[in-house]
Amino acid sequence: MIKNISMFAVLGVILFSCNSIQNKTTTANSAEQLNGTWELNYISGPRIAFDGLYPNKKPTITFDTKENRVSGNNSCNSFTGKLNVDGYKINLKEGIASTRMMCMGNQGEQVFMDTMLKITSYDVTDNGKTLNFISGDIAMMRFTKK
Protein backbone atom coordinates (compact mmCIF):
# COMPACT_ATOMS: atom_id res chain seq x y z
CA MET A 1 0.00 0.00 0.00
CA ILE A 2 2.72 2.47 1.01
CA LYS A 3 4.68 1.40 -2.07
CA ASN A 4 1.70 2.30 -4.32
CA ILE A 5 1.25 5.69 -2.67
CA SER A 6 4.95 6.47 -3.07
CA MET A 7 4.82 5.49 -6.73
CA PHE A 8 1.82 7.79 -7.34
CA ALA A 9 3.59 10.65 -5.55
CA VAL A 10 6.70 10.26 -7.72
CA LEU A 11 4.58 10.02 -10.86
CA GLY A 12 2.70 13.19 -9.83
CA VAL A 13 5.96 15.12 -9.33
CA ILE A 14 7.23 14.02 -12.75
CA LEU A 15 4.00 15.03 -14.49
CA PHE A 16 3.93 18.39 -12.71
CA SER A 17 7.57 19.07 -13.71
CA CYS A 18 6.89 18.23 -17.36
CA ASN A 19 3.84 20.50 -17.41
CA SER A 20 5.82 23.40 -15.90
CA ILE A 21 8.54 23.05 -18.54
CA GLN A 22 5.93 22.91 -21.32
CA ASN A 23 4.19 26.10 -20.04
CA LYS A 24 7.50 28.00 -19.93
CA THR A 25 8.28 26.90 -23.48
CA THR A 26 4.81 27.95 -24.67
CA THR A 27 5.19 31.38 -23.03
CA ALA A 28 8.62 31.92 -24.58
CA ASN A 29 7.40 30.76 -27.99
CA SER A 30 4.38 33.08 -27.83
CA ALA A 31 6.59 36.14 -27.40
CA GLU A 32 8.96 34.97 -30.15
CA GLN A 33 6.02 34.97 -32.58
CA LEU A 34 6.00 38.77 -32.30
CA ASN A 35 9.55 39.20 -33.69
CA GLY A 36 9.79 41.10 -36.94
CA THR A 37 7.87 43.89 -38.64
CA TRP A 38 4.08 44.04 -38.93
CA GLU A 39 1.93 46.39 -41.05
CA LEU A 40 -1.46 47.64 -39.83
CA ASN A 41 -4.45 46.70 -41.99
CA TYR A 42 -7.37 47.26 -39.57
CA ILE A 43 -8.08 49.56 -36.64
CA SER A 44 -11.28 49.71 -34.59
CA GLY A 45 -13.06 52.86 -33.57
CA PRO A 46 -12.69 55.73 -36.02
CA ARG A 47 -15.56 56.67 -38.28
CA ILE A 48 -13.15 57.41 -41.09
CA ALA A 49 -12.35 54.64 -43.57
CA PHE A 50 -8.97 52.93 -43.06
CA ASP A 51 -7.60 54.26 -46.36
CA GLY A 52 -8.73 57.75 -45.35
CA LEU A 53 -6.82 57.51 -42.07
CA TYR A 54 -3.66 56.27 -43.76
CA PRO A 55 -3.70 57.56 -47.36
CA ASN A 56 0.08 57.70 -47.83
CA LYS A 57 1.64 55.20 -45.45
CA LYS A 58 0.27 52.44 -43.22
CA PRO A 59 1.60 52.24 -39.66
CA THR A 60 4.12 49.52 -38.84
CA ILE A 61 5.38 47.98 -35.62
CA THR A 62 8.59 46.00 -35.11
CA PHE A 63 9.30 43.71 -32.17
CA ASP A 64 12.67 42.54 -30.86
CA THR A 65 11.88 40.13 -28.01
CA LYS A 66 15.55 39.40 -27.27
CA GLU A 67 16.20 43.07 -26.49
CA ASN A 68 12.64 43.70 -25.17
CA ARG A 69 12.21 46.59 -27.63
CA VAL A 70 9.36 47.79 -29.80
CA SER A 71 9.62 50.38 -32.57
CA GLY A 72 7.76 51.46 -35.65
CA ASN A 73 6.10 54.24 -37.57
CA ASN A 74 2.59 55.55 -36.90
CA SER A 75 2.20 56.73 -40.53
CA CYS A 76 4.01 59.99 -39.84
CA ASN A 77 6.35 59.75 -36.86
CA SER A 78 8.67 57.02 -35.65
CA PHE A 79 8.29 55.56 -32.17
CA THR A 80 10.37 53.32 -29.93
CA GLY A 81 10.12 51.92 -26.45
CA LYS A 82 10.36 49.05 -24.02
CA LEU A 83 8.45 45.85 -24.79
CA ASN A 84 6.51 44.40 -21.85
CA VAL A 85 5.21 40.91 -22.69
CA ASP A 86 4.07 38.16 -20.31
CA GLY A 87 2.66 35.20 -22.19
CA TYR A 88 -0.07 36.72 -24.36
CA LYS A 89 -0.41 39.86 -22.25
CA ILE A 90 1.26 42.97 -23.63
CA ASN A 91 1.69 46.48 -22.26
CA LEU A 92 2.57 49.28 -24.68
CA LYS A 93 1.78 52.11 -22.24
CA GLU A 94 5.19 52.49 -20.65
CA GLY A 95 8.23 54.13 -22.13
CA ILE A 96 7.08 54.82 -25.70
CA ALA A 97 8.83 57.84 -27.23
CA SER A 98 7.90 59.36 -30.58
CA THR A 99 9.37 61.89 -32.98
CA ARG A 100 7.32 65.07 -33.52
CA MET A 101 7.30 65.80 -37.25
CA MET A 102 4.32 67.76 -38.51
CA CYS A 103 2.19 65.81 -40.95
CA MET A 104 -0.62 67.79 -42.51
CA GLY A 105 -4.02 66.12 -42.61
CA ASN A 106 -2.86 62.95 -40.87
CA GLN A 107 -5.65 62.01 -38.45
CA GLY A 108 -4.63 58.37 -38.31
CA GLU A 109 -1.41 59.01 -36.40
CA GLN A 110 -3.20 59.97 -33.17
CA VAL A 111 -5.81 57.21 -33.59
CA PHE A 112 -2.98 54.65 -33.89
CA MET A 113 -1.10 55.89 -30.81
CA ASP A 114 -4.25 56.21 -28.67
CA THR A 115 -5.40 52.71 -29.61
CA MET A 116 -2.00 51.19 -28.82
CA LEU A 117 -2.31 52.50 -25.26
CA LYS A 118 -5.51 50.47 -24.81
CA ILE A 119 -4.02 47.12 -25.84
CA THR A 120 -3.88 44.44 -23.11
CA SER A 121 -3.14 41.23 -25.05
CA TYR A 122 -2.38 39.82 -28.47
CA ASP A 123 -2.67 36.71 -30.55
CA VAL A 124 -0.89 35.53 -33.66
CA THR A 125 -2.99 33.60 -36.19
CA ASP A 126 -2.90 32.38 -39.80
CA ASN A 127 0.32 30.40 -39.27
CA GLY A 128 2.16 33.47 -37.97
CA LYS A 129 0.96 35.88 -40.67
CA THR A 130 -1.61 37.90 -38.67
CA LEU A 131 -1.15 39.76 -35.37
CA ASN A 132 -4.24 40.89 -33.47
CA PHE A 133 -4.04 43.47 -30.69
CA ILE A 134 -6.83 43.06 -28.16
CA SER A 135 -8.28 45.32 -25.47
CA GLY A 136 -10.17 43.25 -22.92
CA ASP A 137 -11.88 40.83 -25.29
CA ILE A 138 -12.25 43.18 -28.29
CA ALA A 139 -9.89 42.99 -31.28
CA MET A 140 -8.77 46.60 -31.77
CA MET A 141 -5.96 46.33 -34.33
CA ARG A 142 -4.87 43.78 -36.94
CA PHE A 143 -1.41 43.60 -38.53
CA THR A 144 0.07 41.51 -41.34
CA LYS A 145 3.63 40.17 -41.17
CA LYS A 146 5.96 41.97 -43.59
Side-chain angles (χ1 to χ4, degrees):
M1 177 76 167
I2 293 176
K3 192 175 185 181
N4 288 340
I5 292 173
S6 297
M7 195 163 70
F8 282 122
V10 169
L11 184 60
V13 168
I14 291 170
L15 289 174
F16 179 76
S17 297
C18 290
N19 191 32
S20 294
I21 291 168
Q22 183 180 13
N23 286 341
K24 288 179 184 177
T25 302
T26 302
T27 300
N29 288 343
S30 66
E32 288 175 11
Q33 293 178 54
L34 289 172
N35 280 325
T37 300
W38 302 82
E39 184 176 70
L40 185 71
N41 63 24
Y42 168 81
I43 191 163
S44 175
R47 295 182 181 194
I48 300 170
F50 184 82
D51 290 336
L53 283 172
Y54 308 106
N56 301 319
K57 184 177 184 181
K58 293 181 184 177
T60 59
I61 190 165
T62 302
F63 295 97
D64 181 348
T65 58
K66 288 182 183 177
E67 298 293 326
N68 289 322
R69 303 293 303 162
V70 61
S71 60
N73 186 288
N74 60 23
S75 79
C76 175
N77 285 289
S78 297
F79 63 89
T80 188
K82 182 180 178 197
L83 176 61
N84 296 305
V85 176
D86 182 16
Y88 289 97
K89 295 187 184 294
I90 189 167
N91 180 348
L92 300 169
K93 295 177 187 175
E94 298 174 24
I96 298 288
S98 177
T99 59
R100 301 277 183 202
M101 295 187 311
M102 187 172 143
C103 301
M104 299 300 289
N106 189 338
Q107 299 171 342
E109 174 185 17
Q110 194 61 47
V111 171
F112 180 83
M113 297 306 286
D114 290 346
T115 305
M116 278 203 353
L117 296 177
K118 298 174 185 175
I119 302 307
T120 57
S121 63
Y122 71 93
D123 70 352
V124 178
T125 60
D126 299 331
N127 294 320
K129 297 177 188 171
T130 302
L131 168 64
N132 298 293
F133 275 175
I134 302 161
S135 177
D137 61 354
I138 300 168
M140 301 291 288
M141 302 169 95
R142 183 179 58 232
F143 297 82
T144 303
K145 186 83 172 214
K146 287 186 83 175

